[in-house]
Amino acid sequence: MDHETWDVIVVGGGHAGTEAAAAAARMGAKTLLLTHKPETVGEMSCNPAIGGLAKGHLVREIDALDGIMGRAIDQGGIQFRVLNQSKGPAVQGPRAQADRKLYRQAVQRLLAETANLTIQAGGAVQLILDEDNACQGVITDDGRRLLAGAVVLTTGTFLNGLIHLGEEIWPAGRIDEAPALHLSDSLAQIGLALGRLKTGTPARLDGRTIAWQTLEMQEGDTPPKPFSFLTDRITTPQVACGITWTTPETHAIIQANLHRAPMYSGQIQSVGPRYCPSIEDKVVRFAGRDRHQIFLEPEGLDDHTVYPNGISTSLPREVQQALIHSIPGLETVHIIRPGYAIEYDFVDPRELRPTLETRKGARLFLAGQINGTTGYEEAGAQGLIAGINAALKASGSERTFVPDRADGYIGVMIDDLVTLGTQEPYRMFTSRAEYRLLLRADNADLRLTAMGIDIGCVGPVRAAAYTAKAAALVATRTEMEGLTATPRELAAHGIAINQDGVRRSAFTLFSYQEVNWDTLRRLWPESFAGLRDDVAEQLEIEGRYAGYLQRQLADVAAFRRDETLAIPDDLDYAEVGSLSSEMRLKLTQHRPATLGAAARIPGVTPAALTALLGHVRKKQSAA
């Protein structure tokens, strides 16, 4: 035989590729993960951290669907913090600093334990397409023909990747790794719209040459809170990070050399991430500020490398050295590797269905930075969804798995991408989610794990853990609603309450700010024995925000009424009466999957939605 045959082939071993391959394999698909260097699978190519605001929500959702990112960071994390702890639970975000080596080893170990999954070295240089542009597999750089029922491309920054370091330019997917130079031709052959984006990374520093004693230090949370719903506690040793700031001298060095910065010299034409700008961008865009914060993040317990989070740059080597040495604590630091920018091809995500399958090429799925996103977490979440749907497609199933905007941040992100597209690297924020009080990091398993069990991507260990937690929640809430007290009894325990004679349940009492679990245990000392911490946290949040949650559930019900009206992929908008030329153009460009998605396209009017609703229903009736 001159070919190998698989159910699903995943191209790329980054965060999107590992989640896609693991998900497809968990679904029972015979899966191949094809990557240039198997030893770098799970590599953190930029910052050594997982999670953060909104990104932490994505990681917990990946974990709820039995993905690997949450378990990997629990095994490799060396500083855990919950951000925004002074604010409400909806906008709190778990984040963990990682030991790069331990994280990579954890990912590789979890993949090795995954049945149905094979990892091979190799690069894909061409897609195998039939006469209808349906993807049949890939051709590798050594001439092998690998056939599959579905293919998932997760090329990261490798697709025609080009590194910029001052005036220096060379082709690369990331530092010291070759780019993917030919796959873009296959994508163009299908007719997919391609563009260019840019991202960057800071220099790496030798921590032994940093004046740590002069810096403010930031410790993690005690005890560290795990990401995965399956992790009981963190056992990896924890470290502190340093904090320093740029100076007016730093800014003067940058201003004097802007003409040599690729983003300002015209050398780079593509758009970079607005919310993670380079230090050059910060100095220009925020000219009134005389300093910018930098977090000095150790990259490992036995690694002296330090990541200076906050000074991503592509300035020339000697300029980077001067600006870094102008920063307190870094005056004599040794630079291990300079920062750089990288340009790469991406596909307009409006070319995708919500399953992340391309509209113009069946059986081809895209995930990660190839879809215009930035960040490990966004990539991993897309990989998970692409892997599940690729396995379903390869099996011949008619089912799909598409969480919507009310199910999770994964649904918000995918809907944003496939409905609106992006002109800059897309990053997840809590502000993007309309229903964020429902979509909290603490309840990701309650929102998604049952869906994962139903579709087949959740294994027996997680299914059992979820079932036990769900049962404990029901039992404890039932107990709480059965425990009541009069206003007089509550006042005797210092709870200021209207003396209206109405009994309040233990669950209802959480709506009073001064009430917590200690309060309830004083009122009912023989109750709540052996209560699980995760169950206690969940019920306190639900009780405290019960009124708001009910209103948001009503909003979700209204949202889902529109989402149930699917719009055919091949709908000819020229046939929809009463639509203006502008509305037809917008709808044709965006190809919304549902009436709700059409409503989220900027500029689409209520009148256009009414016309579209009538047309689709008329066609459905005729069918």
Side-chain angles (χ1 to χ4, degrees):
M1 293 179 65
D2 63 349
H3 62 261
E4 301 173 35
T5 302
W6 306 84
D7 294 327
V8 174
I9 294 173
V10 177
V11 177
H15 302 278
T18 53
E19 293 293 351
R26 289 198 307 277
M27 295 286 291
K30 180 187 174 187
T31 303
L32 172 66
L33 176 57
L34 185 69
T35 179
H36 285 108
K37 293 183 177 180
E39 64 271 20
T40 65
V41 165
E43 186 73 55
M44 302 178 114
S45 55
C46 192
N47 63 313
I50 292 291
L53 301 179
K55 290 171 173 282
H57 290 70
L58 286 174
V59 180
R60 293 212 113 199
E61 291 179 1
I62 292 169
D63 185 70
L65 291 166
D66 223 4
I68 64 176
M69 185 175 280
R71 285 175 286 163
I73 189 58
D74 285 349
Q75 294 175 34
I78 55 178
Q79 191 198 81
F80 289 75
R81 295 177 61 226
V82 176
L83 309 183
N84 269 356
Q85 289 194 61
S86 63
K87 299 183 179 180
V91 294
Q92 292 175 3
R95 183 183 190 272
Q97 180 74 21
D99 179 309
R100 287 187 190 273
K101 182 178 71 175
L102 291 179
Y103 182 86
R104 182 178 64 249
Q105 290 174 343
V107 170
Q108 292 180 12
R109 185 165 52 248
L110 289 164
L111 292 179
E113 295 168 356
T114 302
N116 307 312
L117 177 59
T118 300
I119 301 175
Q120 288 185 5
V125 296
Q126 184 179 340
L127 299 176
I128 301 172
L129 304 171
D130 68 11
E131 62 276 6
D132 297 318
N133 281 336
C135 190
Q136 306 293 304
V138 300
I139 298 174
T140 66
D141 49 11
D142 58 3
R144 288 180 293 156
R145 290 173 61 84
L146 305 178
L147 304 182
V151 172
V152 184
L153 291 186
T154 68
T155 52
T157 59
F158 281 72
L159 208 58
N160 284 336
L162 194 64
I163 283 182
H164 298 261
L165 175 50
E167 294 86 358
E168 301 174 61
I169 306 173
W170 69 95
R174 56 186 172 213
I175 201 77
D176 299 328
E177 293 192 46
L181 295 176
H182 304 292
L183 272 178
S184 290
D185 296 337
S186 289
L187 298 174
Q189 179 184 338
I190 295 172
L192 301 178
L194 298 174
R196 295 282 279 176
L197 290 175
K198 167 260 179 188
T199 190
T201 190
R204 302 299 194 272
L205 311 178
D206 187 336
R208 295 169 295 186
T209 59
I210 294 174
W212 295 102
Q213 70 279 5
T214 68
L215 301 176
E216 175 188 350
M217 301 300 291
Q218 182 182 70
E219 303 285 347
D221 293 343
T222 304
K225 187 172 184 178
F227 266 92
S228 177
F229 293 100
L230 296 182
T231 304
D232 292 328
R233 61 191 180 93
I234 302 300
T235 58
T236 308
Q238 302 292 287
V239 303
C241 295
I243 298 176
T244 187
W245 303 80
T246 59
T247 65
E249 181 187 355
T250 312
H251 297 189
I253 292 168
I254 293 169
Q255 289 282 6
N257 288 278
L258 276 179
H259 64 286
R260 301 184 66 192
M263 285 293 292
Y264 289 89
S265 67
Q267 186 173 302
I268 292 178
Q269 298 293 328
S270 51
V271 180
R274 188 189 343 167
Y275 301 103
C276 187
S278 66
I279 188 61
E280 300 96 284
D281 285 338
K282 290 180 184 178
V283 168
V284 171
R285 287 165 48 188
F286 308 106
R289 295 182 59 177
D290 59 4
R291 66 177 192 165
H292 294 280
Q293 192 173 50
I294 303 164
F295 290 93
L296 300 174
E297 301 175 340
E299 295 200 352
L301 297 174
D302 59 358
D303 185 346
H304 298 296
T305 308
V306 169
Y307 181 93
N309 195 335
I311 52 170
S312 173
T313 182
S314 57
L315 283 162
R317 299 169 191 266
E318 68 275 14
V319 179
Q320 290 191 39
Q321 179 165 308
L323 76 87
I324 288 171
H325 286 168
S326 71
I327 294 168
L330 308 182
E331 293 89 349
T332 60
V333 74
H334 172 65
I335 299 172
I336 296 172
R337 191 187 80 198
Y340 62 88
I342 183 166
E343 285 187 289
Y344 54 93
D345 286 351
F346 82 106
V347 173
D348 185 335
R350 291 175 297 183
E351 298 277 17
L352 305 174
R353 295 185 170 91
T355 58
L356 299 183
E357 183 182 23
T358 61
R359 294 179 185 273
K360 295 172 182 173
R363 301 184 178 276
L364 177 64
F365 296 77
L366 309 181
Q369 284 178 286
I370 192 173
N371 292 339
T373 60
T374 182
Y376 306 149
E377 304 81 4
E378 289 88 346
Q382 292 171 71
L384 177 83
I385 299 303
I388 292 171
N389 284 301
L392 290 168
K393 176 70 74 168
S395 73
S397 173
E398 294 295 319
R399 298 186 70 185
T400 60
F401 185 70
V402 183
D404 68 24
R405 300 182 73 91
D407 290 323
Y409 276 75
I410 292 176
V412 172
M413 173 180 64
I414 291 176
D415 181 63
D416 282 350
L417 291 170
V418 304
T419 303
L420 305 177
T422 187
Q423 299 300 313
E424 62 185 21
Y426 177 99
R427 179 180 177 179
M428 194 72 245
F429 293 102
T430 55
S431 59
R432 295 189 189 274
E434 306 93 314
Y435 313 115
R436 53 186 174 272
L437 192 54
L438 291 170
L439 308 184
R440 306 182 308 275
D442 62 88
N443 69 353
D445 56 340
L446 300 177
R447 292 184 277 112
L448 294 170
T449 301
M451 295 170 61
I453 293 171
D454 176 65
I455 204 68
C457 72
V458 170
V461 173
R462 188 174 301 273
Y466 165 76
T467 301
K469 178 181 176 181
L473 278 165
V474 170
T476 307
R477 180 159 181 171
T478 300
E479 179 186 9
M480 293 178 72
E481 290 175 339
L483 296 171
T484 63
T486 65
R488 187 183 297 276
E489 291 168 335
L490 295 172
H493 283 81
I495 302 173
I497 197 165
N498 185 16
Q499 294 297 308
D500 54 10
V502 177
R503 300 183 71 89
R504 268 78 169 181
S505 73
F507 183 77
T508 304
L509 288 178
F510 274 135
S511 61
Y512 297 88
Q513 281 299 120
E514 68 272 25
V515 174
N516 55 32
W517 279 107
D518 289 338
T519 312
L520 299 187
R521 288 188 174 98
R522 288 197 303 272
L523 279 161
W524 294 282
E526 297 184 6
S527 299
F528 314 121
L531 183 61
R532 293 170 43 156
D533 290 342
D534 54 351
V535 170
E537 176 190 34
Q538 190 75 58
L539 289 170
E540 183 169 353
I541 292 170
E542 289 181 2
R544 202 167 298 287
Y545 296 96
Y548 300 101
L549 290 169
Q550 286 301 318
R551 286 198 288 274
Q552 200 147 96
L553 285 169
D555 292 340
V556 167
F559 157 78
R560 291 224 162 104
R561 284 194 292 272
D562 285 342
E563 295 301 303
T564 56
L565 184 75
I567 299 174
D569 273 348
D570 58 355
L571 180 66
D572 183 357
Y573 288 97
E575 296 179 356
V576 182
S578 305
L579 283 185
S580 68
S581 298
E582 179 188 2
M583 291 300 106
R584 288 196 176 96
L585 179 61
K586 281 182 180 290
L587 291 166
T588 300
Q589 285 177 336
H590 290 271
R591 288 277 163 197
T594 65
L595 186 69
R600 291 187 288 278
I601 299 171
V604 171
T605 63
L609 293 172
T610 300
L612 183 58
L613 172 65
H615 181 81
V616 172
R617 283 186 172 163
K618 183 178 179 181
K619 287 183 73 72
Q620 288 176 341
S621 299

